[in-house]
Amino acid sequence: LVFTEEDKYGLYSDLLFKYFLAEGIVCGHDLFVASAKEHPDNILKELPAPLLDDTSGKELGDEAAAKSEDFQDSMKIAWRYQNLPKMETSPTTYTKFGHYYDVSKKMSPELCQSVKRHIFYLHEELSLEPKMKAWNMNSGYARLLQSIQKIISQEGFDGSDPQKKQRNVLRIGIQSLGSLLWGDDVCCSDTPEDPHSLTKFLYVLRGLLRKSLSACIITVPAHLIQNKAIMERVTNLSDMVVGLESFIGSERETNPLYKDYHGLVHVHQIPRLNSLICDVSDTKDLAFRLKRKQFTIERLHLPPDLSDTVSRASKQDLAGSAKLLSSGCGAMAIGKKHLDF
């Protein structure tokens, strides 16, 4: 269960959502797309076209290798830092992992229809059975859980029951869960009338995912949920939590330090299934940028200071700063800095 916090305007989270679905089509997986904002048929029509010739991935690897060589040639590193591990934005050698997609082109209808697709549009479902309520949650969530459970049991994705036909993987995509369009008020008030529907839904959904051959991605407008307790429960009920922060409308949009990026990726939680400890990433400073054809996630590296004057604090500045700091570790650090100089 991948929980994705939408960016402020939902531009990049929708693109990441479509990447997940497009990868499922290329791999031959069945799809289940649910939304209350736009019709799932329209979402499937806007999936990016895959690059099946693998030339794009090799170009990315060659580009990263060229940048690394140019950087090493142009920069002379001090001897004390030469033995430290090198930080790179992407692998220097091309490795095949997944598929690459061209966001400037749409997936062909023939390829999109090559897999079995199931759609759930909330407004159509509620018009058929508007008063249905189960599991003590609102009707939209209950109806969605019933539909997912039906697909898992009838289409052969239930791992607890022996299946006669060939096994496959079900990819579930739920868009903008928790928004007002789903009949939930967690995004409207700090003290919602029904604060437990979302957490109950995720609890039951995770149980369905555990016993089935399925994976699920959910996008949620987390920036609208002001109740921190609800967000903590939602995080605990998810396997992986990723947040997207867009630079649109923020001060970082005009900051020259972030001119090569369009936003940040915050990894709040990494899956730890069947393990006593969680996997710890070597870095959590990730950024994304949308190129003309591709959406890429890289390690965040700020550009080096190449100014002619080296900014070093004078003794007077250090003495003034020391007065502002409390005694103890801060003063010891300042004193050590004098010795280093």
Side-chain angles (χ1 to χ4, degrees):
L1 178 59
V2 181
F3 182 87
T4 305
E5 298 178 358
E6 298 180 0
D7 53 290
K8 186 175 181 180
Y9 298 100
L11 299 177
Y12 301 104
S13 58
D14 288 347
L15 184 58
L16 191 65
F17 183 78
K18 293 175 182 177
Y19 260 70
F20 177 83
L21 299 177
E23 182 70 15
I25 292 179
V26 175
C27 295
H29 300 160
D30 288 13
L31 298 183
F32 181 91
V33 186
S35 176
K37 183 171 64 173
E38 56 181 319
H39 200 281
D41 288 338
N42 297 332
I43 298 176
L44 294 173
K45 291 178 182 178
E46 298 294 326
L47 297 183
L51 298 171
L52 301 178
D53 53 357
D54 292 342
T55 57
S56 176
K58 295 179 180 178
E59 290 176 357
L60 288 176
D62 297 339
E63 180 182 358
K67 288 183 178 179
S68 177
E69 292 177 0
D70 294 341
F71 182 78
Q72 294 297 332
D73 293 339
S74 60
M75 299 287 291
K76 292 183 177 180
I77 306 176
W79 62 269
R80 68 178 69 180
Y81 302 115
Q82 287 180 353
N83 296 326
L84 294 178
K86 300 177 182 179
M87 295 292 293
E88 301 170 355
T89 58
S90 58
T92 56
T93 58
Y94 168 66
T95 56
K96 175 63 178 173
F97 180 79
H99 301 86
Y100 297 90
Y101 300 89
D102 187 352
V103 296
S104 64
K105 299 179 181 179
K106 307 302 178 186
M107 183 178 293
S108 63
E110 295 79 11
L111 180 60
C112 188
Q113 296 175 2
S114 61
V115 300
K116 187 176 293 186
R117 302 172 301 167
H118 311 275
I119 62 174
F120 180 94
Y121 189 47
L122 180 63
H123 306 296
E124 293 180 352
E125 298 292 335
L126 292 182
S127 63
L128 299 176
E129 199 172 354
K131 295 183 179 180
M132 195 203 88
K133 191 170 184 179
W135 294 299
N136 195 21
M137 65 183 68
N138 67 39
S139 57
Y141 294 161
R143 183 68 178 173
L144 178 57
L145 281 175
Q146 185 187 52
S147 181
I148 295 175
Q149 187 177 25
K150 181 179 178 181
I151 297 299
I152 290 176
S153 60
Q154 294 183 358
E155 299 296 330
F157 299 105
D158 194 344
S160 59
D161 297 334
Q163 304 294 331
K164 297 181 180 179
K165 57 183 179 180
Q166 185 178 3
R167 290 177 175 265
N168 199 358
V169 176
L170 175 66
R171 287 193 177 225
I172 304 173
I174 306 175
Q175 188 184 50
S176 293
L177 190 72
S179 64
L180 188 61
L181 296 174
W182 284 95
D184 202 340
D185 59 344
V186 293
C187 295
C188 304
S189 174
D190 295 342
T191 56
E193 297 181 359
D194 190 8
H196 303 294
S197 280
L198 181 60
T199 52
K200 289 179 181 178
F201 171 83
L202 293 176
Y203 187 81
V204 179
L205 176 62
R206 192 173 67 167
L208 292 175
L209 296 177
R210 287 293 187 271
K211 70 171 187 176
S212 63
L213 301 175
S214 57
C216 178
I217 184 172
I218 297 176
T219 64
V220 176
H223 60 280
L224 298 178
I225 302 178
Q226 304 299 326
N227 195 320
K228 295 182 179 180
I230 295 178
M231 285 304 303
E232 290 180 357
R233 298 191 198 108
V234 168
T235 300
N236 293 332
L237 289 171
S238 304
D239 297 319
M240 183 173 184
V241 181
V242 178
L244 298 181
E245 179 186 351
S246 174
F247 291 160
I248 300 177
S250 65
E251 297 178 354
R252 292 177 178 176
E253 185 179 12
T254 57
N255 192 329
L257 297 178
Y258 300 97
K259 63 180 181 179
D260 296 331
Y261 306 102
H262 294 104
L264 301 177
V265 179
H266 304 288
V267 181
H268 300 301
Q269 183 169 296
I270 299 178
R272 49 181 184 273
L273 299 176
N274 303 324
S275 176
L276 296 178
I277 60 175
C278 63
D279 184 19
V280 179
S281 176
D282 54 352
T283 178
K284 290 186 177 181
D285 297 328
L286 301 176
F288 65 84
R289 57 177 173 172
L290 180 60
K291 301 179 181 179
R292 186 174 62 89
K293 291 186 177 182
Q294 289 183 330
F295 177 80
T296 60
I297 298 177
E298 304 173 352
R299 292 180 180 178
L300 178 61
H301 289 285
L302 299 181
D305 186 7
L306 300 179
S307 59
D308 296 335
T309 60
V310 180
S311 61
R312 290 186 176 179
S314 62
K315 293 183 178 180
Q316 293 79 6
D317 296 335
L318 290 175
S321 300
K323 294 179 180 180
L324 300 178
L325 294 174
S326 59
S327 59
C329 296
M332 293 175 62
I334 294 297
K336 186 179 183 300
K337 200 168 186 180
H338 279 293
L339 294 177
D340 291 340
F341 286 157

